[in-house]
Amino acid sequence: MSVLPLVFTSGWANGINAYAVVLLLGLFGATGVSDDVPQTLQRPEVLIAAAALFLCEAVADKIPYVDSLWDSVHTVVRPLAGAWVGALLAGQSGSLSDVAAGLIGGSTALASHTVKAGTRMAVNTSPEPFSNVVLSLAEDLGVGGVVAFAMFHPEAAAIVAAVLLAAGLLTLLFLVSRIRRFLRRRAQRREERRLASRAP
């Protein structure tokens, strides 16, 4: 069976939470749930590092503006993680070249990271902090659920990931226009107040 569906799904998930993906895949392999997980991901030091960084992300991801700062740093980390995991998965199965798998995993991770980071920027225009927590929990649960599903049904999980990625990109287009409108209105009000304060 081709490893391509699992590479694509892990790439999508890496773009949202790379540390959760590495941790989950490593645990699935170490506990014998799946034989498709490379030994590299099952190493104790990899699991410990992934768990520690996952906890850091779990906190940072729920704080307004800190989440966007965290995302900006991970603009490089998440696509690289997607490429690395994709290449490892391909090397494990031998059904897809490492380079192709790395490109698929990395580019998919970059696309889903763009959706995540853009959505967070839009959410941060809201004055209340609760939407950040809800969105972060939904992302964590979504990544966990889709990666676990991919262990047993890789093709179906890849379809789910593709639908979520497409929906996210469409949502991001809608949110970008809303953010621009919001910023234009705010700038216009500022200008009106400035002119009003100067009027005799």
Side-chain angles (χ1 to χ4, degrees):
M1 186 181 295
S2 172
V3 75
L4 179 60
L6 187 55
V7 169
F8 178 82
T9 304
S10 69
W12 168 81
N14 268 299
I16 298 170
N17 193 328
Y19 308 121
V21 175
V22 172
L23 181 60
L24 283 171
L25 289 177
L27 288 174
F28 285 140
T31 56
V33 172
S34 174
D35 297 327
D36 297 327
V37 179
Q39 286 296 322
T40 303
L41 296 176
Q42 301 178 41
R43 293 168 64 97
E45 62 270 27
V46 172
L47 291 174
I48 291 168
L53 289 167
F54 171 72
L55 290 175
C56 291
E57 176 148 338
V59 174
D61 214 31
K62 293 171 179 60
I63 304 170
Y65 300 105
V66 173
D67 59 350
S68 289
L69 179 62
W70 184 268
D71 285 340
S72 66
V73 172
H74 285 76
T75 300
V76 175
V77 174
R78 289 174 183 152
L80 286 177
W84 177 62
V85 171
L88 285 175
L89 290 169
Q92 175 83 354
S93 73
S95 61
L96 187 69
S97 84
D98 295 1
V99 174
L103 288 172
I104 292 166
S107 58
T108 307
L110 180 60
S112 62
H113 165 75
T114 302
V115 171
K116 175 187 169 85
T119 304
R120 288 311 182 88
M121 287 175 64
V123 167
N124 282 334
T125 61
S126 171
E128 46 76 31
F130 304 108
S131 50
N132 295 73
V133 175
V134 171
L135 192 56
S136 177
L137 289 172
E139 289 167 353
D140 292 343
L141 291 173
V143 165
V146 172
V147 170
F149 186 49
M151 290 291 97
F152 306 100
H153 305 285
E155 290 86 2
I159 292 170
V160 171
V163 169
L164 290 172
L165 180 58
L169 289 169
L170 288 173
T171 302
L172 185 59
L173 288 174
F174 171 73
L175 292 175
V176 165
S177 63
R178 279 189 66 181
I179 292 170
R180 284 180 180 163
R181 272 201 310 270
F182 171 78
L183 293 175
R184 277 198 301 267
R185 285 177 189 162
R186 192 170 68 174
Q188 185 179 3
R189 284 190 205 113
R190 246 187 234 150
E191 183 64 19
E192 287 170 357
R193 280 197 298 269
R194 188 180 66 81
L195 292 173
S197 67
R198 289 185 176 182

